[in-house]
Amino acid sequence: MKRLWTGAVMMAAIILSSCKYDDSDLWSSVQGLEERITRLEELCKQMNTNIASLQTLVEALQEQDYITGVIPIDKDGATIGYTITFTQSDPITIYHGEDGKSGADGKPGEDGSTPVIGVRQDTDSVYYWTLDGDWLTDASGERIRAEGSKGETGGEGRPGKDGITPQLKIENDYWYISYDNGTSWTQLGKATGEKGDPGEPGESNGIFQKVEETDHEVIFTLNNGSTITIPKATTSEELEITFSNAGPFQAQEGKTYEIEYTILGADETTQIDVVAQSYYRASVVPTDYRSGKIIVRTPTADLEASRVLVFVSRGTEIIMRIIRFEAA
């Protein structure tokens, strides 16, 4: 009897041993899914940041703002984006995929896709949002403006009442977009496919492709192929004014002289003033803050030699130049 019991125990142990389940593949799959979701959430966050930043760029272009700084954002030794500062607008952060790292497979699944959000200027000179190269439209089929109407822009760099900022989210493995600050959502394509994993955020964020900085401007290339170019502030350039004719002039009674000028190192805070002597009259007719004309009228009688003093200021910096008139 003892032998039968011992044999039964041994047989049960063998059966239990043979039925042991190896769940390492399951846990590996669950871990991979969690990592994929984390990457997608970070990607979505970056894309929403980029959408808001892109709208600020459009507004800065419309308002003739200037860039004062381009500061790289580094991660793991690679530049994944930039912080951009302006003369007037609030700073923005943009992410691009030029130097981003790829994930385990570096490619999305067969059915997965990332929406490509962009802007494009139409024939009415207004910038509108695009989605995958086509105009982004609301429920009524109207194109959605990426900029406010001139004279209607809000404070702190916000768009005017006509400017709308789209928002993205990922829910149940699908991309969704909202045009009304998250009140309602429209489903787009699938965020992940059945095979493969997306790359790390920054490999393809669907908005910015690259940023190029020159001595005088910053060029933002979007993933839809279009570009936005914003000039850089020139306050570091030495302030100077040049004239089409600096004289001295042989003055004649009752005559008007027009002298064109160009201001080097000017910005929107630059001002120019003129003061005439000996009954001469002088005024400024600006074309813009960089250029224009100085108009000088001589007296109709008792003509004397005179000087026209030209004052140019930029902030606390002031320079003075003299245009001389000699009596004939």
Side-chain angles (χ1 to χ4, degrees):
M1 184 70 177
K2 184 175 181 180
R3 288 182 178 178
L4 291 174
W5 173 253
T6 301
V9 172
M10 292 177 64
M11 181 62 69
I14 293 172
I15 293 173
L16 289 173
S17 177
S18 65
C19 292
K20 184 178 180 181
Y21 177 68
D22 183 2
D23 59 357
S24 60
D25 290 342
L26 175 62
W27 284 112
S28 177
S29 177
V30 171
Q31 184 179 9
L33 177 61
E34 290 177 348
E35 292 176 353
R36 180 174 59 190
I37 292 173
T38 299
R39 288 197 297 269
L40 284 172
E41 289 175 346
E42 179 64 20
L43 174 62
C44 186
K45 180 181 177 181
Q46 288 187 1
M47 289 180 67
N48 281 323
T49 297
N50 280 346
I51 291 173
S53 296
L54 177 56
Q55 189 167 45
T56 298
L57 286 177
V58 172
E59 293 291 333
L61 187 65
Q62 182 188 41
E63 298 300 319
Q64 297 182 344
D65 204 351
Y66 290 82
I67 290 176
T68 58
V70 180
I71 306 169
I73 300 173
D74 295 330
K75 178 182 178 182
D76 299 329
T79 299
I80 63 170
Y82 298 91
T83 297
I84 311 296
T85 57
F86 299 88
T87 302
Q88 301 176 45
S89 305
D90 289 339
I92 62 172
T93 298
I94 65 172
Y95 296 95
H96 66 84
E98 188 175 23
D99 298 314
K101 290 185 176 181
S102 60
D105 294 328
K107 296 180 180 179
E110 292 179 351
D111 301 323
S113 62
T114 301
V116 178
I117 304 292
V119 295
R120 190 165 71 239
Q121 191 176 34
D122 204 2
T123 54
D124 58 1
S125 299
V126 175
Y127 279 90
Y128 296 91
W129 291 105
T130 63
L131 174 62
D132 296 332
D134 297 323
W135 297 118
L136 192 58
T137 57
D138 58 20
S140 303
E142 296 293 328
R143 293 171 301 172
I144 299 176
R145 294 174 64 110
E147 62 177 77
S149 300
K150 288 186 179 295
E152 297 177 351
T153 52
E156 300 181 357
R158 295 179 181 177
K161 66 178 183 179
D162 294 329
I164 294 176
T165 308
Q167 294 181 15
L168 293 170
K169 73 174 182 179
I170 297 174
E171 190 173 283
N172 299 324
D173 287 339
Y174 279 87
W175 287 102
Y176 286 82
I177 191 168
S178 174
Y179 318 126
D180 52 14
N181 201 31
T183 301
S184 61
W185 295 86
T186 301
Q187 181 178 297
L188 302 176
K190 202 168 184 181
T192 58
E194 301 300 325
K195 300 178 181 180
D197 293 327
E200 291 285 352
E203 183 183 7
S204 178
N205 55 45
I207 307 257
F208 291 98
Q209 184 182 116
K210 62 181 177 179
V211 177
E212 298 173 283
E213 184 179 5
T214 70
D215 292 338
H216 304 289
E217 60 191 12
V218 181
I219 305 168
F220 302 87
T221 301
L222 309 184
N223 276 335
N224 65 4
S226 62
T227 60
I228 294 178
T229 301
I230 307 291
K232 295 169 67 175
T234 58
T235 55
S236 60
E237 187 178 350
E238 183 177 355
L239 188 63
E240 187 54 84
I241 185 169
T242 61
F243 303 106
S244 58
N245 187 347
F249 293 90
Q250 295 297 317
Q252 300 178 27
E253 293 181 350
K255 185 174 179 179
T256 298
Y257 298 83
E258 293 188 358
I259 306 163
E260 296 180 355
Y261 69 86
T262 300
I263 302 175
L264 306 178
D267 59 26
E268 291 183 328
T269 67
T270 302
Q271 295 183 349
I272 177 171
D273 296 286
V274 291
V275 177
Q277 300 175 335
S278 305
Y279 299 102
Y280 283 63
R281 291 185 296 168
S283 61
V284 178
V285 180
T287 301
D288 51 37
Y289 61 83
R290 298 187 185 93
S291 61
K293 292 181 180 180
I294 296 173
I295 299 177
V296 180
R297 295 180 179 86
T298 61
T300 57
D302 300 324
L303 184 66
E304 298 179 2
S306 182
R307 300 185 303 171
V308 174
L309 308 182
V310 181
F311 298 91
V312 181
S313 64
R314 181 186 64 192
T316 59
E317 184 179 3
I318 300 176
I319 62 172
M320 184 190 75
R321 300 294 181 262
I322 299 175
I323 301 175
R324 300 180 184 276
F325 286 81
E326 299 177 350

